[in-house]
Amino acid sequence: MVELMRWLARRMAAERTCYLGLFELRLEAVRRPELRTQLTKVLRSDLDENVRLHLDSGMPGDADTVRLLYFALTGLLFDHFTVPGLHGERDLDDLIETVVNRVVPEA
C-alpha cells in the first residue's frame, strides 16, 4: 500500500499545476455556493469510487481507512507543493510511508 500511495503522489506531482488548481477551485467554492455544490458532487463521487476500489481489491482496512489516507495525503501534498520546507529535511516518500504505516499498520 505504501508503494501505491507513493505512486499516487508522483502522479499528482507530475500534474502539480492541475492539483494546485483544484485547491484554488476549493477556495473559490467557499465563496460561490453553486460551485461548492457541483465540486462536492465530483469530489464525493471520486472518494466513493476510491473506497469501492479499495474494498473490492481486498487491501487492508475499510472505508474509513481510505478516508484517513485521503485526508492525510491531501494535507501532506498541499504542504509539499505550497511550503516544501515545512517538514524540514524529511523526504516525501518517507513521510508517505509514515502516514500509511500509522493508518494501516498491517499494510
Side-chain angles (χ1 to χ4, degrees):
M1 185 170 296
V2 171
E3 287 308 315
L4 174 61
M5 295 300 113
R6 285 178 176 159
W7 175 81
L8 288 171
R10 283 191 301 272
R11 188 173 138 206
M12 290 178 210
E15 299 292 333
R16 184 178 186 267
T17 302
C18 181
Y19 192 69
L20 289 172
L22 183 56
F23 281 116
E24 290 175 2
L25 194 59
R26 287 172 179 236
L27 291 173
E28 185 63 25
V30 171
R31 295 182 284 276
R32 296 181 40 209
E34 67 281 357
L35 174 59
R36 180 176 42 241
T37 300
Q38 292 304 313
L39 185 59
T40 299
K41 286 179 188 176
V42 169
L43 294 177
R44 169 56 61 109
S45 176
D46 287 349
L47 184 56
D48 288 347
E49 181 67 5
N50 286 334
V51 168
R52 186 191 67 75
L53 290 170
H54 180 91
L55 296 175
D56 289 352
S57 74
M59 286 190 276
D62 57 11
D64 283 339
T65 302
V66 177
R67 288 183 193 96
L68 287 170
L69 288 170
Y70 171 82
F71 299 147
L73 291 176
T74 299
L76 178 58
L77 289 172
F78 184 71
D79 285 352
H80 178 70
F81 292 147
T82 60
V83 285
L86 182 64
H87 300 289
E89 299 298 318
R90 299 280 313 267
D91 179 68
L92 181 61
D93 281 347
D94 291 341
L95 290 167
I96 290 169
E97 183 174 357
T98 299
V99 166
V100 173
N101 288 336
R102 299 285 171 90
V103 173
V104 194
E106 63 270 17

